[in-house]
C-alpha cells in the first residue's frame, strides 16, 4: 500500500512537472469590463476562469495548460475587432470568445475569421450573428432572438393574446432582431395597434427612457416589452416603477439575466417575465448533476450565484477543450469539424452545435421573477427565477429553409 502511494505521488509530480514545462494553450476572452454591459462581462470572466482552473487541475488539454488572455471591448464593435486582431496576432491565442453586444460579437468574429481562428459568441442574441452575418468561424453558444421569441411567445399567446403591446427597443442589431421576432410569433406585427419606440444605443440618457415610458403609459397598452439589456434595462425599469407602470402593465424583458435582476432588486423585479437559456436553479429542479456541481463550485469560489453569462463562458471553454482533444490538434478546420453536429450534455439537457449555421440548439426557458421573500431566502439572496414554461431547442430554432431564406434576403450564400 505504501509503495502504491509513493508511485501515485510520483506520477502526480511528473504530470505536474510536464504541465509546468509545456507551452500554454492560450484562449482570448474579449468582453466588456466597462460600459453598460460590464456586469454581464464580469460574469463571463468568472465562469471562464473557473473552467480554466478546473481543466488545468485535471491535466490541461493534451498535456498543455490553458492560459486566459483578456481584453476590454468597452461594448464597442471597433474595439472588439481590434482586440481580437491583437489577441491573435500578438498574443497568439488559438481561439477567442466573449461579447455581450451582438454588434461587438459580429465585428470580433469577422476579425477572427480573417485570421483563421474560431470565435465563440457568449451573449449575442441577434439573429444576424449566426444568420445573415454568420460564417464558418463563428459559433454561438447562447440562444438567438428567434429562439427566445418563439419560446416567450408560446407563453404570451396563452396569457396575453388579446392585449395591446408597447415596445421600447434598443436601437441596434440585437434590439431590432428581438422586436421583429417577438412581433412575428406573438402576432403583434401591426405597429398601429402595438406601437413602439426606439432608444439610442449605446449612449441612451435617462431622459430617453423616461420619454419612451411616457409614450408607453399614454398608449394604454397592457404589456410593456422592454427590449433593453444590461444597465439600459436597469435604468428603464427603475423609471417604470417610479411611474407606477410595474403595477399597471405586465413587464416583459425578453433576455433576462441574473445580474440585471440583482441590479434592480427583488421588490421592483417581482412578476417581470422573460426568457433565458439557463438559470442557476434549473439543475436542481431537473437534477442535472454537472450543472449542480458548477453552481456549487462557482458559489463557493465567488460567494454569488452564476448567471447565464457565466454558464455560457464556462461551457465554451469545456466545449473547445473537448473538440481539440477529439481532433487531436488545435488546427481550426479540424476543430470546426469536431464541433459541427456534436451533441453533449453539460449544465442542462442535451445541446448541439448545428452544422449548417453553427447555432447552439438548446432548450429555452420562460421565467418569472419570484416574490421578494423567496428571493432573499437564498443563501446569496438570488433565488429570482421561477421557470414557468419552456420550448425544446429543435422546436425553437429556425429550420434550414427559414435560415436560407434570411441569408438570401441579405444577399448571402445559402451556406457558411
Amino acid at each position: 500500500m505504501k509503495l502504491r502511494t509513493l508511485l501515485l505521488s510520483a506520477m502526480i509530480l511528473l504530470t505536474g512537472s510536464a504541465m509546468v514545462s509545456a507551452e500554454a494553450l492560450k484562449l482570448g476572452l474579449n468582453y466588456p469590463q466597462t460600459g453598460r454591459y460590464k456586469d454581464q462581462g464580469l460574469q463571463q470572466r468568472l465562469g471562464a476562469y473557473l473552467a480554466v482552473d478546473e481543466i488545468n487541475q485535471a491535466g490541461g488539454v493534451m498535456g498543455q495548460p490553458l492560459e486566459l488572455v483578456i481584453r476590454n471591448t468597452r461594448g464597442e464593435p471597433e474595439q472588439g475587432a481590434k482586440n481580437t486582431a491583437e489577441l491573435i496576432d500578438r498574443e497568439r491565442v488559438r481561439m477567442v470568445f466573449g461579447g455581450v453586444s451582438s454588434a461587438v460579437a459580429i465585428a470580433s468574429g469577422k476579425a477572427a475569421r480573417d485570421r483563421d481562428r474560431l470565435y465563440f459568441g457568449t451573449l449575442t442574441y441577434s439573429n444576424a450573428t449566426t444568420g445573415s452575418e454568420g460564417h464558418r468561424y463563428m459559433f454561438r453558444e447562447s440562444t438567438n432572438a428567434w429562439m427566445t421569441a418563439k419560446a416567450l411567445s408560446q407563453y404570451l399567446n396563452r396569457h396575453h393574446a388579446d392585449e395591446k403591446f408597447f415596445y421600447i427597443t434598443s436601437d441596434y442589431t440585437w434590439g431590432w432582431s428581438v422586436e421583429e421576432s417577438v412581433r412575428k410569433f406573438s402576432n403583434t406585427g401591426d405597429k398601429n395597434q402595438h406601437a413602439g419606440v426606439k432608444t439610442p444605443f449605446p449612449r441612451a440618457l435617462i431622459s430617453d427612457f423616461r420619454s419612451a415610458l411616457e409614450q408607453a403609459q399614454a398608449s394604454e397598452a397592457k404589456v410593456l416589452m422592454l427590449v433593453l439589456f444590461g444597465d439600459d434595462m436597469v435604468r428603464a425599469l427603475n423609471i417604470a416603477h417610479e411611474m407606477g407602470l410595474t403595477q399597471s402593465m405586465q413587464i416583459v424583458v425578453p433576455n433576462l439575466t441574473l445580474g440585471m435582476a440583482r441590479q434592480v432588486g427583488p421588490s421592483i423585479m417581482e412578476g417581470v417575465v422573460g426568457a433565458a437559456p439557463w438559470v442557476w436553479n434549473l439543475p436542481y429542479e431537473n437534477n442535472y448533476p454537472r450543472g449542480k456541481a458548477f453552481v456549487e463550485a462557482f458559489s463557493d469560489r465567488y460567494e454569488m450565484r452564476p448567471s447565464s453569462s457565466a454558464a455560457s463562458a464556462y461551457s465554451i471553454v469545456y466545449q473547445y477543450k473537448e473538440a481539440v482533444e477529439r481532433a487531436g490538434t488545435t488546427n481550426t478546420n479540424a476543430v470546426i469539424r469536431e464541433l459541427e453536429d456534436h451533441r453533449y450534455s453539460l449544465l442542462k439537457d442535451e445541446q448541439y452545435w448545428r452544422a449548417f449555421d453553427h447555432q447552439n440548439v438548446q432548450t429555452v426557458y420562460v421565467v418569472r421573477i419570484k416574490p421578494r421573500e423567496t428571493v432573499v431566502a437564498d443563501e446569496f439572496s438570488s433565488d429570482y427565477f421561477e421557470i414557468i414554461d419552456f420550448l425544446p431547442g429543435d422546436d425553437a430554432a429556425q429550420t434550414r429553409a427559414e435560415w436560407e431564406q434570411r441569408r438570401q434576403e441579405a444577399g448571402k450564400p445559402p451556406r457558411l
Side-chain angles (χ1 to χ4, degrees), residues 217-252:
Q217 189 173 47
S219 75
E220 299 184 348
K222 294 299 182 184
V223 177
L224 175 58
M225 191 70 58
L226 286 183
V227 189
L228 303 170
F229 200 71
D231 288 355
D232 286 349
M233 191 286 292
V234 172
R235 293 171 186 179
L237 195 50
N238 275 299
I239 298 168
H241 177 71
E242 290 172 16
M243 296 172 60
L245 299 183
T246 53
Q247 300 301 315
S248 62
M249 305 175 79
Q250 173 61 62
I251 309 292
V252 181

Side-chain angles (χ1 to χ4, degrees), residues 11 40 66 84 108 111 116-117 131 165 192 207 215 218 220-221 226 237 254 269 295 310-311 345 355 362 374 402 406:
M11 288 175 65
Q40 289 73 33
L66 287 178
T84 301
S108 302
D116 190 36
R117 289 290 186 275
F165 284 42
N192 292 319
S207 57
Q215 293 177 61
E220 299 184 348
L226 286 183
L237 195 50
M269 286 294 299
V295 173
S345 296
Q362 58 182 292
T374 304
E402 289 166 335
R406 289 298 184 97

Side-chain angles (χ1 to χ4, degrees), residues 159-171:
H159 300 278
H160 302 280
D162 299 320
E163 296 177 359
K164 184 188 288 190
F165 284 42
F166 191 93
Y167 289 79
I168 298 178
T169 300
S170 190
D171 195 9

Side-chain angles (χ1 to χ4, degrees), residues 176 252 306 326 389 405:
W176 308 331
V252 181
R326 290 195 303 273
D389 205 353
Q405 180 182 346

Side-chain angles (χ1 to χ4, degrees), residues 39-40 43 100 123 125 228-231 233-234 253-264 269 274-279 306-310 367 369 384-385:
D39 181 83
Q40 289 73 33
Q43 284 281 319
V100 175
L123 253 68
Y125 295 117
L228 303 170
F229 200 71
D231 288 355
M233 191 286 292
V234 172
V253 178
N255 295 118
L256 261 179
T257 70
L258 178 58
M260 287 154 56
R262 280 192 297 228
Q263 283 177 271
V264 177
M269 286 294 299
W278 187 88
V279 290
S307 75
S308 55
S309 310
V367 296
I369 303 299
Y384 276 92
F385 300 113

